[in-house]
Amino acid sequence: QKEVEQNSGPLSVPEGAIASLNCTYSDRVSQSFFWYRQYSGKSPELIMSIYSNGDKEDGRFTAQLNKASQYVSLLIRDSQPSDSATYLCAVNEGGYQKVTFGTGTKLQVIP
Amino acid sequence: SAVISQKPSRDICQRGTSLTIQCQVDSQVTMMFWYRQQPGQSLTLIATANQGSEATYESGFVIDKFPISRPNLTFSTLTVSNMSPEDSSIYLCSVANQETQYFGPGTRLLVL
């Protein structure tokens, strides 16, 4: 059974710090990796996708992928209180396959 | 990304009744999914809605309780049948053309 593991948190960081969110996955054939942000009472919103080993940067967000270690992370630089949300890691084998979601990490950015 | 709408956005229902949730997408999509998210919990996939054929249900979910229709590539419905308070949840429609999934705004259901 495919699994995506995340620490449920909450992860508390002070405003302006770097928040580091981690995720491991069990299926070695996974090809596509995603981070979703979900504010309380709202639906998940896609914020990053990554497909190859290394780093991918988009504004204050950096996704990091290490397929050998089956590990994907999300760094949020200069964390803001508005970043406080639950972050879901998701993994897909590629193509027309359903995505497997982790249980999410709750991030709290303290002003 | 596709624009996804769901109706109703929220509802309060009596136990034993049924509710049909609609999901409309502004463009044709290959795959449509229905998820449930109970308070404080993560996403649980109910089923994949297949265009022109029966939906594919995940373990623990059955067609009699959650009948799904998908008459075309832009529309799907999920019915929650014979509801009980345990069905109180947020129901989310999700769409994908390949590996990336996008979510609708959700339907918040409370069963009394």
Side-chain angles (χ1 to χ4, degrees):
Chain A
Q1 182 174 346
K2 303 172 190 175
E3 292 184 348
V4 178
E5 302 282 345
Q6 293 182 256
N7 188 316
S8 62
L11 172 66
S12 294
V13 300
E15 182 175 355
I18 296 175
S20 177
L21 305 163
N22 304 315
C23 171
T24 59
Y25 59 94
S26 63
D27 192 350
R28 286 193 169 275
V29 301
S30 299
Q31 295 293 323
S32 309
F33 307 86
F34 308 92
W35 284 99
Y36 290 79
R37 177 176 61 199
Q38 186 173 25
Y39 291 114
S40 180
K42 301 295 186 182
S43 63
E45 171 193 12
L46 179 68
I47 54 171
M48 290 287 285
S49 58
I50 186 167
Y51 305 98
S52 55
N53 281 327
D55 295 359
K56 179 181 177 182
E57 187 174 317
D58 183 0
R60 294 185 297 112
F61 298 100
T62 298
Q64 299 175 318
L65 175 61
N66 184 326
K67 290 186 178 181
S69 300
Q70 296 177 237
Y71 178 90
V72 60
S73 64
L74 179 70
L75 301 179
I76 306 175
R77 290 182 300 282
D78 188 23
S79 296
Q80 302 296 309
S82 58
D83 295 325
S84 297
T86 296
Y87 289 81
L88 300 166
C89 175
V91 173
N92 184 286
E93 286 183 16
Y96 296 95
Q97 303 293 327
K98 63 188 179 188
V99 169
T100 302
F101 285 88
T103 54
T105 298
K106 185 173 184 178
L107 173 66
Q108 294 177 339
V109 180
I110 312 300
Chain B
S1 64
V3 177
I4 308 165
S5 61
Q6 283 185 238
K7 288 196 292 186
S9 59
R10 58 179 63 228
D11 207 342
I12 301 173
C13 301
Q14 297 297 317
R15 69 171 66 208
T17 63
S18 297
L19 176 72
T20 295
I21 302 167
Q22 298 180 3
C23 177
Q24 179 75 54
V25 192
D26 69 340
S27 58
Q28 293 185 343
V29 292
T30 306
M31 304 183 79
M32 296 182 79
F33 307 93
W34 287 98
Y35 287 83
R36 181 172 74 183
Q37 187 172 35
Q38 295 180 309
Q41 303 298 313
S42 190
L43 302 167
T44 300
L45 180 62
I46 297 172
T48 302
N50 301 309
Q51 194 266 329
S53 64
E54 195 171 283
T56 305
Y57 289 85
E58 297 299 306
S59 175
F61 296 96
V62 296
I63 187 171
D64 289 347
K65 175 68 176 178
F66 297 101
I68 288 171
S69 78
R70 188 174 175 195
N72 55 54
L73 293 176
T74 64
F75 185 79
S76 178
T77 66
L78 168 74
T79 299
V80 186
S81 303
N82 187 25
M83 286 184 285
S84 67
E86 292 71 35
D87 294 318
S88 298
S89 188
I90 298 173
Y91 291 85
L92 293 155
C93 172
S94 178
V95 306
N97 274 322
Q98 288 194 321
E99 65 271 4
T100 306
Q101 285 188 218
Y102 299 94
F103 287 86
T107 296
R108 191 179 295 268
L109 172 62
L110 176 63
V111 184
L112 302 176

